[in-house]
Amino acid sequence: MNILLTGGTGYIGSHVAAALISTGHEVVCFDNLANSDAVVIDRLEAITGTAIPLVVGDIRDGDALRHALTEHGVEAVIHFAGLKAVGESVAQPIKYYDNNVRGTLSLVEAMADCGVKTLVFSSSATVYGEPRYLPLDESHPTSATNPYGRTKLMIEEMLTDIAAADPDWRIATLRYFNPVGAHDSGLIGENPNGIPNNLMPFISRVAAGRLAELSVFGNDYDTPDGTGVRDYIHIVDLADGHVAALDTIVKIEPALSTWNLGTGQGYSVLDMVEAFERVNSVRVPYRVAPRRDGDVASCYASPERAARELGWTAQRDLEAMCASSWSFERTLAMRNSD
Ligand code: NAD
Ligand code: UDP
């Protein structure tokens, strides 16, 4: 298929582009470069040996979308474009509703106008709110504790209504747990601007000496070692989950399906620090800091529905996640010293 990736030069979009091309699909990236760099396209072309068109545009620009969809003969869209910093969403909610919710409305309008009705959407485990039971399956009640999470919930509800009104749509809502790690090539990975919010890029930068120490946000949670437990999933496994979802929705009956993409295994913050140090023979100094607002003690997936319906399960273990994160960090350091 010919697939348009909104947010295609971002962290997840770039890995999905590589996975789609390796399974015979063709991709077009559509991104306003708000949180990524066009150089990612050169790296993807080096990895795949394929020319990849990049349309620099904003998903709130319906004409630009309609032009890209028709010009490139697009048959399906994977929608990654969005803002994702929880703290920023609390401080600037209008920016988040505008970019994420209005942006998605503009996208589905353009898709409907062009007769493209196959869509995979990047949702998040954040839509489960405070877990009432673990592991989290797709039937767990949804709620949101911040504007970012609310944009994901609103979009899920919007897509549910669209699918109910027109059974020609084929929509997959993928609820990601905690994607980490990088492509085996070391050429693409997660490289956030400024100080990382997420644990794994923070650990990598501490190990590289770019940041002094990790703050462990709370060690008094009701977990085995007191630190927060999450379901970390290797980015390459997550990318393969998108290929499986896309291949599945075009063959099945429901107009909308929802799948968790996680491993089902929870690791604590200290588990992550210990694994990163051991696998990469580095030191990650840390100190215990107060809890971060809005964090839950534990969050991990039931990956059973995806296994049963998509024939997909995560293959890569914690060691592979830590090794690939470090390998990408070292590639960055080499590039910066050039
Ligand atoms: P990212 O910031 O690396 O990628 C998002 C891309 O979208 C960026 O390249 C950015 O420039 C682009 N973009 C943002 N707004 C745009 C707009 N209005 N028009 C066009 N392009 C726009 O983030 P990511 O980690 O790759 O996340 C991709 C998606 O997955 C997001 O929707 C995010 O909310 C969701 N998600 C991410 C995680 C995670 O931990 N990384 C977890 C759950 C869900
Ligand atoms: N965390 C931490 N220090 C950091 C960043 C994160 O202790 O600098 C903890 C956080 O409290 C949570 C886990 O690491 O328990 C994963 O956090 P992340 O922000 O990566 O993902 P999220 O909690 O948003 O799913």
Side-chain angles (χ1 to χ4, degrees):
M1 276 196 279
N2 221 340
I3 303 153
L4 183 112
L5 309 185
T6 73
T9 49
Y11 172 47
I12 302 174
S14 57
H15 288 82
V16 173
L20 287 168
I21 292 168
S22 75
T23 51
H25 294 290
E26 286 178 37
V27 307
V28 180
C29 293
F30 185 102
D31 203 301
N32 68 359
L33 305 180
N35 195 36
S36 55
D37 197 307
V39 77
V40 166
I41 296 292
D42 300 337
R43 309 235 165 90
L44 277 173
E45 290 181 342
I47 291 169
T48 60
T50 307
I52 300 170
L54 168 65
V55 179
V56 178
D58 194 295
I59 53 168
R60 290 163 293 184
D61 179 348
D63 289 339
L65 281 170
R66 276 182 284 274
H67 185 73
L69 290 168
T70 44
E71 164 107 3
H72 294 279
V74 170
E75 299 163 85
V77 173
I78 308 188
H79 177 33
F80 303 100
L83 300 174
K84 60 170 186 174
V86 171
E88 186 187 51
S89 80
V90 174
Q92 299 182 60
I94 296 173
K95 181 174 168 183
Y96 274 68
Y97 291 115
D98 181 45
N99 196 83
N100 294 3
V101 180
R102 187 158 79 90
T104 303
L105 185 57
S106 157
L107 173 67
V108 289
E109 274 173 350
M111 289 177 67
D113 289 348
C114 298
V116 180
K117 294 188 175 178
T118 302
L119 173 67
V120 177
F121 169 60
S122 295
S123 190
S124 166
T126 192
V127 301
Y128 293 122
E130 178 81 40
R132 296 190 195 174
Y133 58 82
L134 290 165
L136 293 160
D137 58 32
E138 291 84 350
S139 309
H140 185 283
T142 54
S143 65
T145 53
N146 55 67
Y148 165 71
R150 229 167 333 267
T151 66
K152 292 293 177 192
L153 266 185
M154 287 179 179
I155 295 167
E156 285 203 7
E157 286 172 356
M158 188 161 91
L159 297 179
T160 303
D161 290 339
I162 291 169
D166 178 355
D168 287 348
W169 280 86
R170 285 291 171 277
I171 301 175
T173 295
L174 301 181
R175 293 177 177 161
Y176 308 154
F177 281 69
N178 291 58
V180 296
H183 192 263
D184 291 341
S185 63
L187 289 176
I188 52 172
E190 187 176 16
N191 186 23
N193 295 328
I195 296 182
N197 291 311
N198 294 113
L199 180 64
M200 193 60 129
F202 207 108
I203 288 180
S204 292
R205 289 191 190 180
V206 171
R210 294 169 68 195
L211 292 169
E213 63 178 6
L214 170 72
S215 294
V216 174
F217 296 143
N219 67 350
D220 56 354
Y221 285 106
D222 183 16
T223 60
D225 66 19
T227 67
V229 167
R230 296 289 182 277
D231 185 337
Y232 297 94
I233 174 168
H234 197 298
I235 186 70
V236 174
D237 282 326
L238 188 88
D240 290 344
H242 289 70
V243 180
L246 188 62
D247 290 347
T248 301
I249 55 173
V250 294
K251 288 188 237 147
I252 61 174
E253 203 46 53
L256 183 139
S257 310
T258 301
W259 290 289
N260 283 341
L261 294 184
T263 67
Q265 170 77 53
Y267 289 106
S268 74
V269 177
L270 295 183
D271 288 336
M272 299 301 286
V273 170
E274 184 279 322
F276 199 94
E277 290 188 327
R278 176 170 45 79
V279 169
N280 298 315
S281 303
V282 291
R283 292 256 305 110
V284 181
Y286 68 85
R287 71 180 168 82
V288 175
R291 290 181 177 194
R292 183 173 65 178
D293 275 354
D295 272 355
V296 301
S298 297
C299 174
Y300 51 92
S302 163
E304 278 173 27
R305 185 187 287 179
R308 198 172 55 246
E309 296 179 1
L310 303 179
W312 167 90
T313 49
Q315 301 295 314
R316 292 161 181 82
D317 61 13
L318 185 57
E319 281 67 28
M321 300 179 211
C322 292
S324 67
S325 296
W326 184 233
S327 148
F328 178 65
E329 179 67 38
R330 290 169 62 111
T331 317
L332 278 180
M334 277 185 314
R335 266 197 227 115
N336 291 339
S337 67
D338 282 349

